Amino acid sequence: MLPAEVVKQLAEIKARMAGGEAITTGNRQTIGAFLDEWLASIKASVRPRTHDAYSSHVRLHISPGLGHIRIADLTRQHVQRWVDKQTASGASARSVRRYHSVLRIALDRARRWGLVQVNVAAAEDLDLPRVEDFEWKPLPLDEAQRLLAVVRGYRLEALYTVAIALGLRKGEILGNNIRHAPRCQVRYL
């Protein structure tokens, strides 16, 4: 091939890739097989809970929808359809974004390993579901006083008093123990 022809072919391939088209490199590995390999490779470099969460997302949400596709054939359209199916199945917007984030991180590793030319999950033009902002509303003073009057003398009265005084959420009330105490910040009302 002449250098001009090579430059022309390269420009065509780059244009196709920019349009989200998969450029096959001969790699026959599926997304599912790659994700299993990726999970094994990151086990030592992430926290155990992070690895457990990634594994769960891959096993329950990513592999069932995309695992059968060859990694070299994955396109933005595949990822967008998968996102749309996750949303339609009732998954919350925050969950779908979390699953997508795991896929994006994994495909970035595939790009660095040379398995794909482009990380199609990193595309800005993917339509991810919008996460609605949650507005936290504290109990009005009269309701807080009424609640404290109801629990007066109850064995968990102190728990309710501290929860209301500090504005703690359920998970914070149930999850904190003495080993978390040095990280807690006390706010005075």
Side-chain angles (χ1 to χ4, degrees), residues 8-174:
K8 182 180 176 185
Q9 274 190 334
L10 182 60
E12 289 173 3
I13 290 172
K14 283 183 177 180
R16 288 173 39 203
M17 286 171 45
E21 184 178 338
I23 307 299
T24 304
T25 61
N27 187 346
R28 302 196 58 77
Q29 186 176 32
T30 64
I31 294 291
F34 162 73
L35 289 171
D36 291 341
E37 187 178 333
W38 171 70
L39 285 169
S41 76
I42 65 165
K43 189 166 187 150
S45 63
V46 297
R47 293 180 176 172
R49 287 184 126 171
T50 300
H51 190 269
D52 291 346
Y54 285 1
S55 297
S56 175
H57 296 336
V58 165
R59 182 174 31 78
L60 299 174
H61 305 286
I62 302 171
S63 283
L66 298 172
H68 65 283
I69 300 170
R70 285 183 18 189
I71 194 164
D73 294 339
L74 186 67
T75 65
R76 290 181 184 147
Q77 290 80 8
H78 288 119
V79 175
Q80 185 64 61
R81 280 194 298 264
W82 171 74
V83 165
D84 295 342
K85 284 181 184 176
Q86 291 295 313
T87 304
S89 72
S92 72
R94 191 172 308 278
S95 293
V96 173
R97 284 180 168 269
R98 198 174 303 121
Y99 309 150
H100 170 263
S101 177
V102 171
L103 178 64
R104 181 182 43 76
I105 292 167
L107 289 178
D108 191 52
R109 178 66 59 94
R111 186 188 54 75
R112 285 188 277 146
W113 285 352
L115 300 175
V116 294
Q117 299 297 317
V118 152
N119 180 350
V120 294
E124 299 83 33
D125 55 347
L126 287 175
D127 295 324
L128 297 174
R130 185 168 184 260
V131 176
E132 298 296 324
D133 291 332
F134 177 76
E135 187 176 332
W136 184 79
K137 297 177 185 171
L139 282 177
L141 182 60
D142 61 322
E143 288 183 31
Q145 290 171 335
R146 221 172 333 144
L147 175 62
L148 291 175
V150 169
V151 298
R152 188 163 290 122
Y154 179 60
R155 69 182 182 90
L156 296 177
E157 176 183 1
L159 179 93
Y160 284 100
T161 303
V162 170
I164 289 173
L166 297 179
L168 299 178
R169 298 171 293 195
K170 181 179 176 183
E172 293 168 328
I173 295 166
L174 300 175

